[in-house]
């Protein structure tokens, strides 16, 4: 990727949940090196790391050394990289590994990695010995701006994404932005889909800022910490008002109903589609679907797709390598989503950029007709 920058930015976002469950998100370069003292301040004798083989090779020893220097017993459970580890088998491996490391009730689990590791380790922590505390050390842009914050943890079931899980808030989030220097362009772009999402949901000014500053996020300028902090602030506010997604938290799923269906159809095969790419296509579809329903100006849908494409993200069903079935298959895949009530689909739709809303009871035939037209669209310039 690009040359790493050394600017010393460190920002803190507080998540003000009720007493004893509130926590800080620290955002800055080099936080892994100082993690030990911060984790030790939470109390406990042991802090066991859960990570994947790729991240372990890059940051595992550094984090373990920092924890041990702070007087914490440590150890590492390493899973295979990729969405496949967010499975029953991956969950069993992590729980057995943590028990073998003698993690007890007062100890901590430290999730070091991207969204897969955070969701998996968090779910293991939520259930191990009926619940132990955990710390998120997210190392992908997607995890830093979204999945490490807010306490959603879980694994995938054969029938769908994230269908087994628990709400379990971390005690601390350490978003070391220097770890993004080693992220591939593709993973960086995928995370950026979630960054842009926060502007599209409820903050048109932030989307304007993204259009002007997205390159600095990728290259490691101070825009990177600003963007991570802005997203975490937005997410913290939503999670504080609606922790268990009884209402507005569902807005954070903009682009995800389509996106999760695409991930399912492509077999969670990251060679074909990673989560953020599914979200990018799903977001562009949500805008075009809203425009088709007469809810949103077509020019907003065009502006969003243009920006995502400029950042190197896919915005069309035709962009999925190996294809993604047909309209019927996609509607069927969506019917397994958690957002289904009495068989009707719930979507996050928009009245424009920064004006999303929850639209329950969307008729399947309406969605099917839209997707048929999307598949048939002539994309020649
Ligand atoms: N990623 C959506 C949420 O945390 O609610």
């Amino acid at each position: 990727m690009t040359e790493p920058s050394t600017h010393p930015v460190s920002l803190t976002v507080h998540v003000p949940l009720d007493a004893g469950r509130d926590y800080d998100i620290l955002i800055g370069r080099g936080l892994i090196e100082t993690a030990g003292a911060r984790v030790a301040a939470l109390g406990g004798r042991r802090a066991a790391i859960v990570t994947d083989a790729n991240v372990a090779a890059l940051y595992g020893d550094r984090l373990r050394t920092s924890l041990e220097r702070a007087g914490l017993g440590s150890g590492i459970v390493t899973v295979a990289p990729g969405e496949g580890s967010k499975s029953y088998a991956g969950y069993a491996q992590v729980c057995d590994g943590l028990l073998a490391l003698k993690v007890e009730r007062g100890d901590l689990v430290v999730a070091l990695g991207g969204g897969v590791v955070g969701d998996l380790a968090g779910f293991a922590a939520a259930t191990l010995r009926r619940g132990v505390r955990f710390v998120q050390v997210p190392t992908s842009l997607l995890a830093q701006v979204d999945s490490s914050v807010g306490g959603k943890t879980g694994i995938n079931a054969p029938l769908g994404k994230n269908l087994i899980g628990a709400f379990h808030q971390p005690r601390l989030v350490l978003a070391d932005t220097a770890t993004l220097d080693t992220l591939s362009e593709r993973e960086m772009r995928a995370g950026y889909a979630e960054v842009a999402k926060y502007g599209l949901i409820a903050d048109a000014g932030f989307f304007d800022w993204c259009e002007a500053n997205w390159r600095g996020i990728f290259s490691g300028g101070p825009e990177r910490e600003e963007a991570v902090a802005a997203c975490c602030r937005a997410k913290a506010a939503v999670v504080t008002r609606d922790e268990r997604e009884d209402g507005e938290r569902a807005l954070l799923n903009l682009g995800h109903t389509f996106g999760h269906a695409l991930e399912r159809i492509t077999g969670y095969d990251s060679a074909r589609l990673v989560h953020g790419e599914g979200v990018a296509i799903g977001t562009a579809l949500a805008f075009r679907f809203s425009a088709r329903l007469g809810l949103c100006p077509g020019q907003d849908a065009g502006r969003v797709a243009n920006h995502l494409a400029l950042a190197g993200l896919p915005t069309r069903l035709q962009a999925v390598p190996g294809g993604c079935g047909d309209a019927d298959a996609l509607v069927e895949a969506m019917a397994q989503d958690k957002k289904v009530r009495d068989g009707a689909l719930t979507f996050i739709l928009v009245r424009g950029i920064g004006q999303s809303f929850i639209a329950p009871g969307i008729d399947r035939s309406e969605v099917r007709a839209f997707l048929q037209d999307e598949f048939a669209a002539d994309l020649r310039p």
Side-chain angles (χ1 to χ4, degrees), residues 17-311:
L17 292 167
D18 46 30
R21 293 192 317 121
D22 61 320
Y23 57 95
D24 282 335
I25 305 161
L26 273 54
I27 300 149
R29 302 183 75 88
L31 289 170
I32 286 181
E33 276 75 14
T34 58
R38 299 180 202 278
V39 176
L42 299 171
R45 291 181 312 118
R46 240 167 237 288
I49 299 166
V50 178
T51 189
D52 73 30
N54 291 342
V55 179
L58 290 166
Y59 306 112
D61 285 344
R62 239 187 272 179
L63 180 58
R64 188 173 179 171
T65 303
S66 178
L67 294 169
E68 288 178 349
R69 278 209 186 112
L72 291 163
S74 191
I76 303 191
V77 179
T78 305
V79 299
E83 192 77 26
S85 287
K86 252 179 81 170
S87 59
Y88 293 121
Y91 169 66
Q93 184 198 342
V94 170
C95 290
D96 290 345
L98 292 171
L99 291 171
L101 289 173
K102 300 190 168 43
V103 173
E104 296 177 359
R105 228 15 202 305
D107 295 333
L108 288 143
V109 171
V110 182
L112 171 69
V116 166
V117 163
D119 286 7
L120 174 62
F123 184 50
T127 47
L128 192 84
R129 300 188 193 277
R130 298 206 177 89
V132 299
R133 299 168 304 156
F134 85 117
V135 172
Q136 291 269 22
V137 185
T139 59
S140 71
L141 180 59
L142 186 143
Q144 294 189 355
V145 300
D146 192 54
S147 60
S148 69
V149 176
K152 278 190 183 175
T153 71
I155 58 172
N156 302 326
L159 283 177
K161 179 133 171 128
N162 296 336
L163 292 182
I164 316 290
F167 287 97
H168 187 52
Q169 297 290 343
R171 295 303 307 136
L172 176 69
V173 180
L174 299 175
D176 186 337
T177 46
T179 61
L180 306 189
D181 295 338
T182 54
L183 214 57
S184 69
E185 280 282 354
R186 184 179 178 207
E187 287 294 344
M188 196 72 187
R189 287 188 213 120
Y192 182 71
E194 299 274 6
V195 174
K197 179 190 84 172
Y198 285 97
L200 300 173
I201 290 171
D203 188 348
F206 181 61
F207 187 70
D208 295 344
W209 183 90
C210 284
E211 286 180 314
N213 294 286
W214 67 276
R215 287 186 177 81
I217 302 172
F218 281 61
S219 65
E223 296 87 353
R224 183 180 284 177
E225 286 77 21
E226 282 175 47
V228 174
C231 297
C232 289
R233 272 194 292 273
K235 181 151 189 185
V238 171
V239 167
T240 303
R241 290 192 293 264
D242 179 23
E243 185 180 356
R244 298 181 76 87
E245 200 168 302
D246 296 317
E248 71 167 302
R249 183 166 179 167
L251 296 175
L252 300 177
N253 297 325
L254 176 63
H256 284 61
T257 306
F258 289 120
H260 282 172
L262 290 171
E263 283 186 271
R264 179 156 180 245
I265 281 189
T266 51
Y268 305 108
D269 177 0
S270 51
R272 292 174 68 191
L273 192 81
V274 292
H275 176 69
E277 291 167 341
V279 169
I281 297 173
T283 301
L285 289 174
F287 269 80
R288 285 199 289 275
F289 189 39
S290 301
R292 176 187 174 107
L293 297 175
L295 298 164
C296 155
Q299 73 190 49
D300 280 17
R303 185 177 155 198
V304 170
N306 285 343
H307 179 60
L308 295 174
L310 186 64

